[in-house]
Amino acid sequence: MNRILLASAFLLVSISAAFADEIPSALSAPAVVSPVPAAISPAPKTPAPKLVEPHLHIARSNIAGHARVALTFDACMGQADERILSTLVRERIPATIFVTARWLKRNPAAVAVFLQNPDLFELENHGQNHIPAVDTPTLIYGIASAGSPQAVRREVEGGAAAMLAAGIPAPHWFRGSTAKYDLSAIGEIRAMGYRIAGYSVNGDGGSLLGAVITEKRIASAKDGDVVISHINQPTHAAGAGVAKALVDLKAKGTEFVRLEDVEDTGDDKTTE
């Protein structure tokens, strides 16, 4: 019996020693901690470009009760607003129309009316694809800017090429989408030979205002003002207000002129 107990004890000791030899030394060694990666710093944000929305005024008449006003209309995309166009023609009211290549393509009938009334309408460049003429990447009212000097040039030149193809005389003025620019883009456009059309009265708030407030804004134009409105949103209420305001101004004895007919002054070096 004692021999059996001694044999069992010896076997147990031998097995324990064998298992001890098989245990990885890592269990008894200090734990190796993997290095924690350093926090990745976010890439520095590109500062937003400084944008300007230039003003433009024309030479005043300086005659009491005979204010001189320049009406300018943007034809961005969409269809022609016949409420406005028919009023301009019927009342023989001159205006400067800024057209994009996209609008020209969709509105040949309205273009024909413009060309049939050269005494009323001065047609100028609103760009190729209605892209803001800003030469660094940014968003303006949710619209991506041109983003580079080359893209600004393509927007301007593409608009002018479409005008010439439609039988319109070469433009001398440019107004970009949103009417906002950075100063370097202004310099680039001026170097291309264009004057840049700002404004002094925002008539229809991008064609988003109601008819009543639009009428009041435009009818409040004073001697030397340049009014901006839109002639490409026939389903918006603003167009009715524009048409009514034109009649209001004419009844007050307003002298309407096109930009090509009068001296002007624009800030941010847009016309000098």
Side-chain angles (χ1 to χ4, degrees), residues 49 51 130-140 142-148 151-152 177-178 180 182:
L51 302 180
H130 201 246
I131 296 173
V134 174
D135 60 16
T136 54
T138 191
L139 289 176
I140 307 171
I143 305 174
S145 66
S148 70
V152 169
S177 167
T178 74
K180 292 181 182 288
D182 54 352

Side-chain angles (χ1 to χ4, degrees), residues 185-202:
I186 286 176
E188 293 153 13
I189 297 166
R190 293 287 289 126
M192 295 172 66
Y194 287 91
R195 302 170 79 78
I196 296 175
Y199 61 90
S200 59
V201 175
N202 186 339

